């Protein structure tokens, strides 16, 4: 589980026009997960603390609700819910750009539901990256933010430090995925069972979805992590990563492994394999084409790395997620 300590602060951005069913539904979902953890005696499971962030009259963005009130706030996750009205306009989304960039810079996982992706796109954090949204808004997202690679055919797109989803009601699945990430698969399944909703489907292979550690507090390393996610870890090497961090190579190696739990080469492999998994599931590209697409000139080397990370050959993975005819 990607959690340090006994508490994970999850923020929900309550903007004008936000779907309050999603805001309160997610709040209830995380409360149920905490209760399941207590009932099952999961002492090592962190508490999920939920905070609603909203604009107050004449004041900057602040916490309007805190499930476990404390003075200090540093969200580990920030969720931008959907809207029941219409696509958010520039004047609205621009008001939150600086806050989203700051949270992301401090290591928060950004999560959007449906048109919530427009807020992240406006901040520039999706430039050159892939994202998904509701099919009804995909063309507008692509037109307003041409640097974003819109993949409207994907119901959910997990990309390390940013997660986007397409469906208006996708907040239930996203909530369960966050429970799984921070409290484990058993508690996610128990929460789903209690709420009588579809559980999170486990993907084949332990490394098929990469959930990097972002809450370690090392700003230099976090800067490199964001850079690797935005570039897909293609055409990178130790010298470039150390230069991005502003550190001497030996110092960078030590601090990167201490912060993330992985060597830089292992981290890059996880990023590339995560993108390859998405291509295997949602495209008809050959395995060789996918290998080249994620930065491997030698498809044979790609197959070895893919098996090392997921425990499956690329072809086996594709059969597991889309079936023999996929």
């Amino acid at each position: 589980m990607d959690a340090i300590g006994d508490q994970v602060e999850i923020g929900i951005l309550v903007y004008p026009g936000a779907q309050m069913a999603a805001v309160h539904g997610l709040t209830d979902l995380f409360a149920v997960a905490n209760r399941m953890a207590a009932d099952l005696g999961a002492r090592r499971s962190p508490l999920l603390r939920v905070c609603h962030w909203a604009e107050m009259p004449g004041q900057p963005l602040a916490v309007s609700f805190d499930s476990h009130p404390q003075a200090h706030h540093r969200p580990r996750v920030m969720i931008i819910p959907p809207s029941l009205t219409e696509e958010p306009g520039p004047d609205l989304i621009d008001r939150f750009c600086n806050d989203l960039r700051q949270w992301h810079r401090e290591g928060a996982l950004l999560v959007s539901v449906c048109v919530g992706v427009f807020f992240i796109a406006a901040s520039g954090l999706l430039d050159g990256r892939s994202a998904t949204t509701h099919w009804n808004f995909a063309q507008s997202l692509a037109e307003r933010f041409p640097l974003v690679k819109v993949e409207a055919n994907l119901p959910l797109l997990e990309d390390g430090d940013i997660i986007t989803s397409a469906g208006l009601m996708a907040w239930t699945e996203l909530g369960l995925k966050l429970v799984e990430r921070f409290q484990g698969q058993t508690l996610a399944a128990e929460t789903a069972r209690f709420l009588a909703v579809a559980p999170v489907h486990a993907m084949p292979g332990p490394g098929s979805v990469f959930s990097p550690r972002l809450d370690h507090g090392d700003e230099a390393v976090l800067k490199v992590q964001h850079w690797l996610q935005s570039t897909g870890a293609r055409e990178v090497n130790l010298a470039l990563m150390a230069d991005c961090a502003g550190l001497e190579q030996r110092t960078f190696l030590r601090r990167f492994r201490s912060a993330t739990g992985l060597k830089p080469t292992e981290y890059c492999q996880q990023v590339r394999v995560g993108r390859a998994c998405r291509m295997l599931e949602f495209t008809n590209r050959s395995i060789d084409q996918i290998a080249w697409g994620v930065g491997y000139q030698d498809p044979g080397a790609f197959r070895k790395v893919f098996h090392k990370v997921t425990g499956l050959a690329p072809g086996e993975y594709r059969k597991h997620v889309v079936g023999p005819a996929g």
Side-chain angles (χ1 to χ4, degrees):
M1 290 179 289
D2 179 22
I4 297 175
D6 58 359
Q7 180 177 281
V8 174
E9 183 176 344
I10 299 176
I12 303 176
L13 184 63
V14 186
Y15 59 88
Q19 182 191 8
M20 297 310 293
V23 173
H24 295 303
L26 283 164
T27 303
D28 290 344
L29 186 151
F30 296 132
V32 169
N34 285 333
R35 196 171 78 208
M36 294 294 105
D39 290 348
L40 293 173
R43 295 189 181 93
R44 297 182 62 186
S45 177
L47 176 75
L48 302 181
R49 174 190 178 194
V50 182
C51 297
H52 298 175
W53 290 77
E55 291 177 315
M56 306 296 182
Q59 298 181 22
L61 194 65
V63 172
S64 61
F65 166 82
D66 189 341
S67 65
H68 298 80
Q70 296 174 39
H72 178 70
H73 293 282
R74 185 168 180 173
R76 296 266 297 282
V77 180
M78 181 55 63
I79 302 173
I80 302 93
S83 171
L84 280 180
T85 54
E86 57 185 1
E87 171 189 318
D91 291 342
L92 174 61
I93 58 180
D94 288 349
R95 301 207 306 250
F96 302 99
C97 285
N98 288 336
D99 294 294
L100 288 172
R101 282 192 287 261
Q102 181 64 28
W103 284 320
H104 185 255
R105 198 159 43 238
E106 293 176 352
L109 171 69
L110 300 184
V111 179
S112 70
V113 184
C114 192
V115 296
V117 70
F118 282 79
F119 290 83
I120 305 178
S123 71
L125 296 172
L126 282 171
D127 287 359
R129 300 179 64 169
S130 297
T132 189
T133 190
H134 192 281
W135 60 267
N136 197 43
F137 302 103
Q139 183 175 347
S140 178
L141 181 66
E143 291 173 350
R144 287 176 61 178
F145 305 101
L147 296 180
V148 178
K149 302 172 184 174
V150 181
E151 300 190 42
N153 60 314
L154 304 184
L156 185 75
L157 201 161
E158 296 186 66
D159 196 18
D161 53 354
I162 297 176
I163 301 176
T164 57
S165 62
L168 188 65
M169 297 299 291
W171 58 265
T172 54
E173 182 180 359
L174 281 170
L176 290 171
K177 281 189 174 292
L178 292 174
V179 173
E180 181 181 47
R181 174 179 284 208
F182 294 112
Q183 294 186 318
Q185 195 173 66
T186 298
L187 282 172
E190 287 299 310
T191 301
R193 187 173 68 86
F194 180 86
L195 295 172
V197 297
V200 175
H201 296 292
M203 295 291 284
S208 56
V209 176
F210 180 37
S211 301
R213 285 180 55 185
L214 302 169
D215 61 336
H216 45 70
D218 191 324
E219 294 183 5
V221 171
L222 189 60
K223 182 181 178 183
V224 175
Q225 289 178 270
H226 289 325
W227 176 58
L228 292 175
Q229 291 293 159
S230 66
T231 61
R234 301 179 79 242
E235 299 179 6
V236 297
N237 55 42
L238 177 59
L240 289 173
M241 286 186 277
D243 184 63
C244 178
L247 299 171
E248 188 271 331
Q249 290 187 23
R250 290 182 62 184
T251 302
F252 169 72
L253 277 170
R254 174 178 54 79
R255 284 174 56 174
F256 190 94
R257 188 165 188 176
S258 175
T260 68
L262 296 169
K263 298 177 183 177
T265 51
E266 294 171 334
Y267 194 98
C268 291
Q269 288 173 351
Q270 290 277 1
V271 172
R272 291 174 177 176
V273 167
R275 298 202 169 192
C277 287
R278 197 161 72 231
M279 292 182 189
L280 285 165
E281 183 173 1
F282 294 105
T283 76
N284 291 321
R285 297 181 195 176
S286 70
I287 292 170
D288 285 2
Q289 289 173 324
I290 290 172
W292 298 324
V294 298
Y296 287 91
Q297 295 182 350
D298 179 2
F302 164 74
R303 285 176 167 83
K304 290 179 181 178
V305 170
F306 191 96
H307 189 276
K308 173 186 173 185
V309 171
T310 68
L312 295 170
E316 293 174 324
Y317 180 90
R318 174 170 269 168
K319 288 179 181 178
H320 272 74
V321 295
V322 299

